Amino acid sequence: MSQLRNANATNAKPNIVIRHAKEQDAIALTELENSCFTGDRISLRSFKRFIPEARNDLMLLEKDGQLAGYFLLLYRAGTSLARLYSIAVSPTFRKQGLAELLMEQAELAAAKRYCVLLRLEVRPDNSSAVALYQKLGYSEFAIKHDFYEDHADAICMQKQVIQFDSTTLTRQVPYIAQTTPFTCGPACLLMVFNYFAPNKFNPQQLEIDIWREATTIFMTSGHGGCGPRGLALSAWQRGFNAEVYINKDGPLFIDSVRSEAKKVILHRVHDTFKQRMEEQELIVHHTELTISMIKQQLEAGMLLVVLISTWQFDKSKAPHWVVVCAVDEHFVYINDPDIEDIPWLSTTERQYIPIEHKVFIRAFSYGKNRLKAAVAIKPR
């Protein structure tokens, strides 16, 4: 289901070849580097170290048999991120579209490694490079101060280079952002509701109402989060069938609450939710969902609201609800209602965010007890 952005990048031009660098290319690459940059140069020794390294892609572009440019991508183990460490085009071959071609090939190389995001740094005064990256869809997300040898800052930019192939769908799960720090669960439900019944459920009217229905009352601090039973009951109340998948029994998130009085209230809330689930004959599966089980649920016409820990993404260890929209061979695609960490992305880019299977599995649990919870929903 996934597709690569800029997948039309090609070596079809008969006088251009893009290939991986070899050991014998190190001297020529160093000469090219020295002709392009006056500082922050990659040395001959470093090129010799980068070329055989399996966690890098150092690729060069030859035109008419001459070295015209290169790019160097670095990969970090355990993440879905690629970093463009360096890119250069010989002064002799500039203004021929080669930098854009190199960038397209870099995106393809990153995507072949199942990297979702390609990140880079660029000098603010390098206006031509900044313009190229903006043209190719890169967005600024940070500034690194005193980054270069001359103490200049760097603009940090990134682009999602793998996206879901929406041409396979008749309708996409809509994107609805949470408007408070504590309403990720309600925002997820509203995405699901409006997928099955487009534009019927008004987020502005219902987001807080659903939170009040589904909240577990307490968390470590601040407002309480929503539990799976509460979300399932809110879905049932609005005409949907909902099945809960959970690997722990008893009150949830109780480990994050120190007050014994609050723990007593959490038990009362849990007992009420449990009784109401039994009264409505809503099913609770005491099991852990696997990727294959999630795929089966999606194929059966359901959507899933899944509890994750945000540690894999922002190191905050917060419980967070997302919508699982699709699964393919390599990725789980989610709609994440939280826009705090990705304010530069458009609504379209926040839909069907690809998460590599192994990263999703690590994220699909919360707390020391590795709580796993999900709600599978379809129209009733």
Side-chain angles (χ1 to χ4, degrees):
M1 291 182 188
S2 60
Q3 63 180 4
L4 312 186
R5 291 189 170 180
N6 295 313
N8 59 333
T10 177
N11 292 342
K13 298 177 182 178
N15 59 337
I16 290 179
V17 173
I18 297 178
R19 62 174 176 83
H20 280 93
K22 301 175 183 177
E23 185 177 353
Q24 56 267 36
D25 297 315
I27 293 176
L29 282 165
T30 306
E31 292 173 350
L32 172 65
E33 183 83 353
N34 292 337
S35 72
C36 293
F37 306 111
T38 58
D40 297 281
R41 293 168 170 167
I42 300 176
S43 66
L44 174 62
R45 181 179 180 182
S46 293
F47 273 121
K48 287 183 176 180
R49 177 169 54 87
F50 282 130
I51 288 171
E53 175 57 59
R55 288 181 297 177
N56 306 330
D57 274 321
L58 176 52
M59 302 187 72
L60 51 81
L61 182 151
E62 295 174 327
K63 185 173 183 182
D64 298 323
Q66 298 182 63
L67 177 61
Y70 79 89
F71 67 79
L72 172 59
L73 292 182
L74 306 183
Y75 304 101
R76 184 177 176 184
T79 74
S80 296
L81 298 175
R83 180 189 175 200
L84 182 70
Y85 185 79
S86 183
I87 183 171
V89 175
S90 167
T92 306
F93 292 94
R94 289 178 183 168
K95 299 187 183 301
Q96 299 178 33
L98 299 186
E100 184 170 347
L101 180 58
L102 280 169
M103 285 301 301
E104 291 174 345
Q105 291 294 324
E107 291 173 10
L108 287 173
K112 286 177 182 177
R113 300 261 195 162
Y114 307 121
C115 289
V116 173
L117 294 174
L118 177 54
R119 290 181 170 175
L120 57 88
E121 296 88 17
V122 60
R123 294 177 65 100
D125 57 4
N126 191 346
S127 57
S128 60
V130 172
L132 173 62
Y133 299 142
Q134 290 173 337
K135 173 187 173 183
L136 295 176
Y138 287 80
S139 301
E140 178 181 337
F141 69 93
I143 297 289
K144 290 183 179 178
H145 297 289
D146 197 15
F147 183 77
Y148 294 101
E149 279 183 8
D150 63 357
H151 305 291
D153 295 341
I155 301 172
C156 303
M157 306 183 79
Q158 73 176 12
K159 177 180 177 180
Q160 183 179 315
V161 295
I162 294 178
Q163 63 179 358
F164 183 78
D165 183 4
S166 60
T167 61
T168 62
L169 301 176
T170 55
R171 184 169 71 252
Q172 279 188 285
V173 179
Y175 182 80
I176 295 173
Q178 63 190 83
T179 63
T180 77
F182 50 88
T183 50
C184 54
C188 287
L189 280 192
L190 287 163
M191 288 189 246
V192 173
F193 295 168
N194 283 294
Y195 169 77
F196 289 120
N199 302 315
K200 182 177 178 181
F201 296 88
N202 187 324
Q204 189 173 4
Q205 294 176 352
L206 294 175
E207 181 183 16
I208 299 300
D209 286 350
I210 293 173
W211 173 77
R212 292 174 64 190
E213 297 165 7
T215 181
T216 56
I217 306 297
F218 293 117
M219 293 292 286
T220 304
S221 61
H223 298 289
C226 292
R229 288 182 174 87
L231 293 173
L233 287 163
S234 290
W236 174 264
Q237 181 177 320
R238 289 166 177 84
F240 296 90
N241 191 37
E243 297 183 16
V244 170
Y245 290 81
I246 192 166
N247 66 341
K248 308 288 182 184
D249 203 4
L252 307 183
F253 313 126
I254 200 165
D255 292 339
S256 66
V257 176
R258 297 175 183 175
S259 165
E260 290 301 320
K262 290 182 178 180
K263 288 183 179 181
V264 170
I265 294 175
L266 281 171
H267 276 279
R268 291 171 61 186
V269 172
H270 168 75
D271 291 342
T272 299
F273 281 152
K274 188 173 181 179
Q275 179 181 343
R276 290 178 60 198
M277 291 281 291
E278 292 171 354
E279 290 171 353
Q280 301 299 340
E281 298 182 345
L282 295 179
I283 298 173
V284 178
H285 303 273
H286 291 282
T287 186
E288 295 188 5
L289 278 177
T290 63
I291 296 289
S292 61
M293 291 169 68
I294 290 173
K295 190 173 183 180
Q296 290 173 3
Q297 296 280 20
L298 293 169
E299 290 173 348
M302 306 183 95
L303 287 179
L304 289 95
V305 177
V306 174
L307 182 71
I308 66 169
S309 168
T310 58
W311 176 256
Q312 290 295 322
F313 309 107
D314 61 15
K315 308 303 181 186
S316 70
K317 295 185 179 180
H320 184 57
W321 293 99
V322 299
V323 181
V324 174
C325 305
V327 175
D328 65 16
E329 183 181 356
H330 302 291
F331 296 97
V332 176
Y333 296 87
I334 68 169
N335 280 12
D336 183 347
D338 185 6
I339 64 172
E340 288 297 316
D341 294 325
I342 49 174
W344 58 87
L345 295 183
S346 68
T347 298
T348 301
E349 290 171 310
R350 294 188 189 115
Q351 288 180 287
Y352 290 76
I353 300 171
I355 308 295
E356 196 175 357
H357 283 188
K358 61 183 180 182
V359 177
F360 180 82
I361 289 299
R362 290 197 297 267
F364 182 27
S365 65
Y366 174 72
K368 292 182 291 185
N369 294 324
R370 299 192 61 80
L371 168 66
K372 294 190 175 184
V375 185
I377 302 167
K378 66 179 180 181
R380 187 166 74 243

